[in-house]
């Protein structure tokens, strides 16, 4: 059980206990109204009862708000766990290769290709848990192709012409 969950649970329980206690006090005051003799005593107890009921309502609303935050936090944790599991499967589909000296990229393994063509993904994005397919373009200044990523990484080829991207050999 996470620390955040335990913290919220402890706070929720205290708010719920406060609400229950307030409602019990309200019930006791209501029972006591029967024993009162004068209108002044009744008015005084009614005011006290209203105060206790308002306090109990406030505690109930606080508990509800805290529970809502807890539910949102749990949902966020579940989504993150699902994302991490999906990435765990996705990253197994790639192998780190060196297409030319000084350059590392992740290449799709042939055994994991499913229906995808061969491609490379960015090492920076891979380490961040994101699959970002590198795109090729010709760098006119140096006359060689380069492979760029949406994160801003650029992988410069050391040769002229087009590099044939193939599946990673396992």
């Amino acid at each position: 059980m996470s620390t955040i969950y335990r913290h919220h649970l402890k706070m929720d329980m205290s708010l719920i206990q406060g609400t229950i206690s307030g409602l019990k006090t309200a019930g006791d005051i209501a029972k006591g109204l029967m024993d009162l003799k004068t209108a002044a005593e009744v008015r005084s107890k009614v005011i006290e009862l209203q105060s206790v009921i308002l306090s109990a309502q406030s505690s109930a609303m606080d508990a509800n708000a805290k529970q809502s935050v807890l539910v949102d936090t749990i949902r966020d944790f579940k989504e993150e766990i699902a994302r991490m599991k999906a990435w765990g499967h996705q990253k197994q589909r790639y192998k780190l290769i060196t297409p030319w000296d000084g350059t590392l990229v992740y290449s799709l393994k042939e055994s994991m290709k499913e229906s995808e063509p061969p491609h490379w993904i960015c090492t920076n994005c891979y380490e961040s848990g994101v699959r970002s397919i590198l795109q090729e373009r010709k760098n006119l200044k140096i006359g060689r192709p380069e492979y760029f990523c949406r994160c801003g990484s650029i992988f410069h080829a050391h040769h002229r012409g087009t590099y044939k991207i193939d599946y990673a050999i396992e």
Side-chain angles (χ1 to χ4, degrees):
M1 188 181 303
S2 76
T3 305
I4 293 172
Y5 178 76
R6 280 193 300 269
H7 177 69
H8 282 290
L9 187 59
K10 184 184 268 187
M11 288 182 1
D12 286 349
M13 291 307 294
S14 66
L15 288 170
I16 291 168
Q17 289 170 345
T19 301
I20 292 170
S21 174
L23 292 173
K24 184 180 178 314
T25 302
D28 293 344
I29 292 171
K31 287 178 190 173
L33 283 173
M34 307 300 252
D35 298 333
L36 299 177
K37 309 285 189 265
T38 68
E41 288 176 322
V42 170
R43 277 194 300 272
S44 173
K45 284 296 181 185
V46 166
I47 291 170
E48 184 181 350
L49 178 59
Q50 288 173 334
S51 175
V52 170
I53 289 171
L54 286 174
S55 177
Q57 285 177 331
S58 177
S59 291
M61 288 189 295
D62 287 347
N64 192 31
K66 300 265 188 220
Q67 181 179 358
S68 179
V69 168
L70 182 59
V71 166
D72 290 346
T73 301
I74 290 170
R75 185 194 66 242
D76 292 346
F77 282 151
K78 285 181 178 180
E79 288 173 0
E80 180 64 14
I81 288 168
R83 189 192 70 74
M84 290 170 62
K85 283 181 180 179
W87 174 243
H89 169 71
Q90 188 69 251
K91 71 191 267 184
Q92 298 302 316
R93 300 179 64 217
Y94 293 88
K95 179 179 179 182
L96 188 62
I97 65 163
T98 306
W100 52 82
D101 289 343
T103 300
L104 294 171
V105 295
Y106 280 94
S107 182
L108 182 63
K109 296 176 185 175
E110 187 165 17
S111 65
M112 304 291 255
K113 68 182 178 183
E114 297 168 4
S115 64
E116 291 181 87
H119 60 271
W120 294 336
I121 62 173
C122 174
T123 52
N124 184 45
C125 291
Y126 179 95
E127 295 304 323
S128 298
V130 176
R131 182 180 91 143
S132 185
I133 297 175
L134 297 175
Q135 303 295 313
E136 181 181 359
R137 68 180 171 209
K138 179 123 180 170
N139 184 321
L140 298 175
K141 289 181 184 176
I142 60 175
R144 294 186 297 223
E146 62 187 13
Y147 298 84
F148 67 96
C149 178
R150 64 182 173 179
C151 74
S153 296
I154 299 175
F155 303 84
H156 296 280
H158 293 284
H159 55 39
R160 296 186 187 277
T162 302
Y163 188 85
K164 182 178 181 327
I165 298 174
D166 209 349
Y167 294 108
I169 300 170
E170 297 179 61

